[in-house]
Each structure stands twice: as structure tokens, then as C-alpha cells.
Amino acid sequence: MADASFRDFVLDQLAGLRGLDCRAMFGGYGLYADERFFGIVHRGALYFRTDEQSRPDYLRRGMRPFVPGSRQSLKAYYEVPAEILEDPESLLDWARRALAAKHSPY
């Protein structure tokens, strides 16, 4: 799926999120809700911000952190599992958790 069509799919799935905005960044797109950055769409994948409370849910499912290049990794952002991405209600719950995630040292 091309990034633009995947981005549109993600935005449709997150349509219930108040103040949702999408901006070009990192060769992909940044997701914001009420001006708060919480997610990244990049190369056909969706990544949400995590913290110590939410990260274990990603790790249990074998998800990996966002790595935009060979020398760079944003370890606070993890790929959203496909089963969550395909379920709008679950995706909204995970997006709200990403918005509530505290900034961590990752």
C-alpha cells in the first residue's frame, strides 16, 4: 500500500479522534490530536508513542520501534499491530493511550 493511501486509511480509522491532524515529516507523516504529536505513518506502517505502561503491550506482540534510517531510532514510538490497526475502536483506544503516554528517556 502506498504511503498516501495508507495514510488515508489510518486517518479514516482514526476519524473519531478529536482534533486529528496529519503533517508531512520524516519522509512520512506525523499524527497530531489537538496539536499533540502522538504517531507516525512511515513506509506503510503506523507507529504510536509509548511509555513504560503501554510499551509492554507492543513488545508482547513482537512490535518494533520506529527506525527511520540505519543510524536513527525513536524508541518511544512502536509499530501498531495489524489486528489493532484494522479495528477502529481498538485503534482509537491505542491512540488515546499514545496521547496520554508520558515522555520517557527512550
Side-chain angles (χ1 to χ4, degrees), residues 12-59:
D12 285 345
Q13 294 291 83
L14 291 172
L17 198 60
R18 193 184 76 174
L20 182 63
D21 189 22
C22 179
R23 303 174 194 164
M25 65 183 298
F26 295 128
Y29 304 93
L31 297 177
Y32 298 78
D34 291 333
E35 298 299 320
R36 291 183 302 164
F37 182 60
F38 73 96
I40 301 166
V41 174
H42 190 262
R43 294 186 182 167
L46 172 63
Y47 301 84
F48 279 164
R49 181 185 6 214
T50 65
D51 61 11
E52 297 302 318
Q53 287 73 43
S54 63
R55 193 170 304 112
D57 289 333
Y58 292 81
L59 294 173

Side-chain angles (χ1 to χ4, degrees), residues 92-103:
L92 281 173
D93 288 341
W94 282 51
R96 289 182 181 110
R97 290 175 62 201
L99 282 161
K102 296 183 173 113
H103 291 282

